[in-house]
């Protein structure tokens, strides 16, 4: 079954195609991928290049105006995709599903209306996701089934005490709770880690998963089910990120509002001008900041130091939620897969628990490998991020009539 995966953001959009069989757990690589990224370096003035990748080759596949929105970008990606043949289904990443969506669903007018309502919870994400959905439907018509997979769905069975904020009880009635995000990444990483540990069907395997990219979050799982996570009501919560602040003292926001800052300005500040970028004034990318820090730039050094400190704190929190040593600590996504110094810094604070890295293996950081020392009390895995494959898998299962049961069911 050929499934196209659409990941629409405010600054970038990606389209990938997978040949996939329902209920097959072993990941496969995409047949091809196309992306357009407003943040990519070297873009020509006034336009954004579409980049096509397949079988190790890469080529420019057209361009869109730099000022284009998510709908125009998705339409351009799909126009290029038509050269590669048709598909049997399209699956879209939607960041916030609230309490309404706990698994993949076929898109309909009612589903789209609920995604739009939930945009109040994720104003930077759901509107862009919805634009991509509508652009795809206009391009492909009604004959190609379209499916939505929600970041929040993986965490829907969080224990009530882990999901609840210590505010007035009315908050729960208003849907103010911890939802968690990066669900497709965590779901695929949990399955892959269990397989690499030789415990694919073990309901007791415990993991701490670190999704470290432009957005960063951690998750503790037992038997593939999320029991705690660092992101909360929105993707702003948790550890420091590329441009997002992560958790803050709420009093800071009250102070800034009393100084005259409006809600829209706060949203922009916390989402786009904080984190590594805000601290360093240089970049949101640790691959750029690390050399600057090593060459003595104090702002870059501080940004890296704050990120490492918050990451270690997040791991400690996940340890406490598990209440035991995890079977593995897992690193995935761009930063988790490519930054050995970040992995080493995250692990060094837990040497007292017997966690030890193999320095040579960590430096290589081969995806889907164990980089822990032979005598480490905890295995440390580097996994390729496969959220797009996971989305395609869930879409194929839904269209085949065999959707995966949510954690704790079935």
């Amino acid at each position: 079954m050929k499934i196209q995966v659409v990941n629409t953001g405010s600054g970038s959009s990606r389209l990938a195609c997978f040949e996939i069989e329902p209920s097959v757990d072993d990941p496969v690589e995409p047949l091809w991928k196309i992306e357009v990224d407003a943040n990519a370096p070297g873009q020509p003035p006034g336009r954004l290049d579409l980049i096509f990748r397949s079988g190790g080759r890469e080529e420019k596949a057209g361009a869109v105006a730099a000022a284009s929105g998510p709908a125009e970008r998705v339409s351009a990606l799909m126009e290029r995709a038509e050269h590669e043949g048709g598909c049997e289904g399209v699956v879209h990443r939607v960041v916030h599903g609230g309490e309404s969506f706990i698994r993949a669903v076929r898109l309909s007018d009612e589903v789209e209306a609920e995604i739009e309502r939930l945009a109040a919870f994720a104003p930077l994400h759901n509107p862009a996701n919805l634009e991509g959905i509508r652009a795809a439907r206009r391009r492909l018509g009604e004959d190609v089934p379209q499916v939505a997979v929600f970041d929040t769905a993986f965490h829907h069975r969080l224990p009530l005490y882990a999901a609840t904020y210590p505010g007035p009880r009315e908050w729960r009635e208003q849907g103010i709770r911890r939802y968690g995000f990066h669900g497709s990444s965590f779901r695929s990483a949990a399955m892959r880690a269990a397989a690499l540990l030789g415990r694919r069907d073990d309901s007791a395997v415990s993991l701490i998963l670190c999704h470290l990219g432009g957005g960063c979050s951690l998750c503790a799982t037992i038997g593939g089910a999320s029991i705690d996570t660092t992101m909360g009501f929105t993707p702003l919560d948790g550890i420091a990120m590329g441009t997002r602040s992560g958790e803050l003292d709420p009093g800071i926001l009250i102070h800034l509002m009393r100084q005259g800052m409006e809600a829209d300005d706060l949203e922009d500040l916390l989402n786009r001008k904080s984190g590594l970028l805000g601290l360093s004034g240089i970049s949101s990318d640790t691959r750029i900041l690390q050399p600057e820090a090593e060459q003595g730039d104090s702002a870059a050094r501080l940004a890296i130091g704050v990120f490492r400190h918050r990451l270690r704190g997040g791991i400690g929190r996940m340890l406490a939620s598990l209440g035991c040593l995890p079977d593995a600590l897992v690193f995935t996504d761009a930063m988790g897969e490519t930054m050995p110094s970040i992995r080493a810094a995250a692990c060094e604070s837990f040497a007292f628990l017997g966690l030890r890295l193999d320095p040579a293996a960590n430096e290589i950081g081969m995806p889907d490998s164990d980089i822990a020392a032979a005598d480490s009390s905890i295995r440390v895995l580097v996994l390729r991020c496969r959220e797009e494959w996971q989305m395609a898998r869930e879409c194929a299962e839904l269209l085949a009539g065999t959707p995966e049961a949510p954690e704790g069911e079935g």
Side-chain angles (χ1 to χ4, degrees):
M1 185 180 292
K2 279 190 178 180
I3 302 295
Q4 288 185 11
V5 180
V6 182
N7 191 340
T8 311
S10 57
S12 65
S13 297
R14 298 193 298 273
L15 182 62
C17 183
F18 289 82
E19 183 82 47
I20 197 164
E21 294 299 322
S23 303
V24 173
D25 292 337
D26 294 324
V28 297
E29 296 301 312
L31 300 175
W32 50 261
K33 297 180 73 170
I34 319 172
E35 66 179 350
V36 56
D37 186 356
N39 300 314
Q43 294 282 5
R47 75 177 198 197
L48 302 174
D49 286 328
L50 275 62
I51 305 300
F52 178 88
R53 297 182 178 91
S54 178
R57 66 185 175 91
E58 178 179 306
E59 63 184 45
K60 292 181 181 179
V64 294
S68 63
E72 292 84 358
R73 294 174 189 176
V74 169
S75 182
L77 293 176
M78 290 201 148
E79 182 178 4
R80 172 59 182 82
E82 289 172 359
H83 298 294
E84 306 303 317
C87 63
E88 294 162 82
V90 176
V91 59
H92 298 263
R93 179 192 179 198
V94 178
V95 167
H96 216 306
E99 294 179 301
S100 303
F101 302 108
I102 63 172
R103 57 170 64 83
V105 297
R106 289 279 292 262
L107 282 160
S108 65
D109 291 343
E110 292 75 18
V111 170
E112 289 181 29
E114 183 64 3
I115 292 171
E116 190 165 23
R117 186 187 71 82
L118 291 166
F121 292 2
L124 297 184
H125 299 89
N126 276 33
N129 303 155
L130 198 54
E131 281 195 51
I133 289 167
R134 290 169 174 166
R137 189 173 63 247
R138 286 193 297 270
R139 188 86 202 175
L140 299 175
E142 300 296 334
D143 292 337
V144 178
Q146 307 226 12
V147 170
V149 169
F150 300 85
D151 272 23
T152 48
F154 181 65
H155 306 284
H156 81 279
R157 301 189 74 84
L158 278 176
L160 189 58
Y161 54 79
T164 301
Y165 286 109
R169 64 172 60 187
E170 290 79 14
W171 281 10
R172 283 283 306 173
E173 298 169 4
Q174 298 170 29
I176 299 176
R177 50 156 289 181
R178 182 176 301 280
Y179 288 100
F181 298 89
H182 294 133
S184 294
S185 175
F186 288 139
R187 192 188 298 272
S188 62
M191 286 195 301
R192 186 63 176 157
L196 291 176
L197 294 171
R199 299 173 61 182
R200 190 190 292 268
D201 299 318
D202 190 341
S203 62
V205 64
S206 59
L207 304 167
I208 295 176
L209 308 171
C210 304
H211 177 103
L212 306 179
C216 301
S217 71
L218 278 59
C219 179
T221 65
I222 297 177
S226 173
I227 65 163
D228 199 4
T229 188
T230 53
M231 281 184 172
F233 178 62
T234 74
L236 257 178
D237 201 3
I239 68 172
M241 299 171 239
T243 63
R244 291 177 237 166
S245 64
E247 64 181 2
L248 294 170
D249 178 350
I252 296 172
L253 309 185
I254 296 171
H255 172 72
L256 293 173
M257 291 178 73
R258 283 176 174 160
Q259 290 185 324
M261 187 168 281
E262 300 290 337
D264 288 347
D265 296 325
L266 274 176
E267 185 174 80
D268 185 55
L269 175 70
L270 299 179
N271 275 295
R272 299 188 179 92
K273 299 176 181 177
S274 297
L276 291 166
L277 177 63
L279 285 165
S280 69
I282 300 171
S283 174
S284 62
D285 192 331
T286 52
R287 292 167 293 186
I288 295 173
L289 293 178
Q290 188 68 46
E292 295 290 335
E294 292 170 354
Q295 292 169 19
D297 188 290
S298 59
R301 188 183 300 119
L302 177 62
I304 293 287
V306 169
F307 180 82
R308 290 175 173 177
H309 176 71
R310 294 296 181 100
L311 174 58
R312 288 190 288 254
I315 294 171
R317 172 179 153 186
M318 297 300 107
L319 273 170
S321 293
L322 287 175
C324 64
L325 291 183
D327 293 296
L329 174 64
V330 177
F331 294 94
T332 190
D333 207 38
M335 200 189 313
E337 296 171 40
T338 65
M339 293 293 296
S341 60
I342 295 294
R343 296 192 296 261
C347 292
E348 65 185 6
S349 292
F350 302 98
F352 73 99
L353 296 175
L355 190 159
R356 282 183 281 278
L357 289 181
D358 178 327
N362 180 47
E363 194 62 33
I364 297 170
M366 187 70 69
D368 289 15
S369 67
D370 185 347
I371 61 171
D375 63 347
S376 177
S377 62
I378 302 169
R379 307 323 299 164
V380 182
L381 305 180
V382 178
L383 301 183
R384 179 173 288 117
C385 183
R386 291 185 171 90
E387 59 185 354
E388 291 171 342
W389 166 79
Q390 177 62 35
M391 291 167 60
R393 177 176 179 267
E394 292 183 47
C395 178
E397 289 174 346
L398 179 64
L399 297 182
T402 57
E404 181 181 273
E407 294 80 285
E409 297 180 13

